[in-house]
Amino acid sequence: GAVVSQHPSRVICKSGTSVKIECRSLDFQATTMFWYRQFPKQSLMLMATSNEGSKATYEQGVEKDKFLINHASLTLSTLTVTSAHPEDSSFYICSAETGLLSYEQYFGPGTRLTVT
Amino acid sequence: GENVEQHPSTLSVQEGDSAVIKCTYSDSASNYFPWYKQELGKRPQLIIDIRSNVGEKKDQRIAVTLNKTAKHFSLHITETQPEDSAVYFCAAGSRWYNTDKLIFGTGTRLQVFP
């Protein structure tokens, strides 16, 4: 149980375009999903917390107009990187809380974004 | 803001030896402390966690200890095996408004040599 999927696993896009990444909880309903960014050989940096049916909460320094988050259902959250630039290239990982016990987060497989 | 420090950044051990990774946290409200294992290019996997009402927890070769007074917790892996090689992240969880938020440590790259 507690499986989280992410799509796509890899994406290459041109500078100035937008990219949408999907995060799905496959066998449970997730009222809260989290979006992280991970640079090579570095830790996971929380970008935002996504709650179903409400606006996402962004961490300090994360541009909400650049990283659009939509949590439209209890099993799907999307992250859209708008007007992507090479410095947005990174590994983006989502996670979801099962809700059965507080704090337990299960991670998706990640999306490697390369902006050329 | 909240901060989690993790040491060492790299750790090399011989197969069969023990490995210890230590973390300290700054937010005294933290009450959940998970450890994740991440292999190259893959998702972090929860390997063990501990809550603030417990001082120690063990699961086969893995154990975690927590000292709330000193605000530090540690991961202990005994009888290490080559497949234990990975990056390990500690995290501290606390309630933030209506959300349970994890702050991650900087990671420890563990290499177990046969």
Side-chain angles (χ1 to χ4, degrees), chain A residues 4 34 36 38 41-44 46 49 51 57 59 91 93 97 101-105 107-109, chain B residues 31-32 36 38 41-44 46 49 51 89 93-96 99-102 104-106 109:
Chain A
V4 177
F34 303 86
Y36 296 86
Q38 187 176 32
K41 298 185 179 181
Q42 293 192 25
S43 188
L44 292 93
L46 179 65
T49 303
N51 292 291
T57 303
E59 293 299 298
F91 194 52
I93 310 179
E97 275 189 348
L101 291 170
S102 292
Y103 302 127
E104 289 188 28
Q105 293 183 28
F107 285 84
Chain B
N31 54 11
Y32 174 64
Y36 287 86
Q38 187 178 30
K42 296 190 176 180
R43 76 185 81 194
L46 179 69
D49 57 15
R51 299 181 189 275
F89 292 99
S94 58
R95 196 76 178 170
W96 185 80
T99 301
D100 302 325
K101 190 166 73 169
L102 293 180
F104 281 83
T106 48
R109 184 171 300 277

Side-chain angles (χ1 to χ4, degrees), chain B:
Chain B
E2 306 97 334
N3 183 51
V4 177
E5 293 186 1
Q6 185 171 345
H7 299 282
S9 56
T10 60
L11 179 59
S12 297
V13 299
Q14 206 71 33
E15 182 177 2
D17 288 349
S18 295
V20 180
I21 303 171
K22 299 182 179 181
C23 288
T24 58
Y25 60 97
S26 61
D27 186 0
S28 57
S30 297
N31 54 11
Y32 174 64
F33 307 92
W35 286 88
Y36 287 86
K37 175 183 180 182
Q38 187 178 30
E39 297 177 13
L40 187 63
K42 296 190 176 180
R43 76 185 81 194
Q45 299 270 15
L46 179 69
I47 57 171
I48 194 168
D49 57 15
I50 192 168
R51 299 181 189 275
S52 60
N53 58 345
V54 176
E56 184 174 355
K57 183 176 179 181
K58 190 174 181 180
D59 182 4
Q60 298 183 332
R61 298 187 295 109
I62 296 174
V64 58
T65 58
L66 171 65
N67 183 328
K68 281 219 78 179
T69 303
K71 288 195 237 175
H72 66 71
F73 56 113
S74 301
L75 177 71
H76 304 252
I77 306 175
T78 58
E79 300 172 36
T80 54
Q81 301 166 3
E83 49 266 37
D84 293 330
S85 298
V87 178
Y88 291 80
F89 292 99
C90 64
S94 58
R95 196 76 178 170
W96 185 80
Y97 293 95
N98 292 321
T99 301
D100 302 325
K101 190 166 73 169
L102 293 180
I103 302 299
F104 281 83
T106 48
T108 296
R109 184 171 300 277
L110 173 65
Q111 284 187 302
V112 181
F113 292 100

Side-chain angles (χ1 to χ4, degrees), chain A residues 60-82:
Chain A
Q60 194 172 11
V62 178
E63 299 176 58
K64 62 180 181 181
D65 294 330
K66 181 168 185 61
F67 299 99
L68 301 178
I69 292 172
N70 187 339
H71 195 155
S73 76
L74 286 172
T75 60
L76 173 63
S77 176
T78 60
L79 167 68
T80 301
V81 182
T82 63

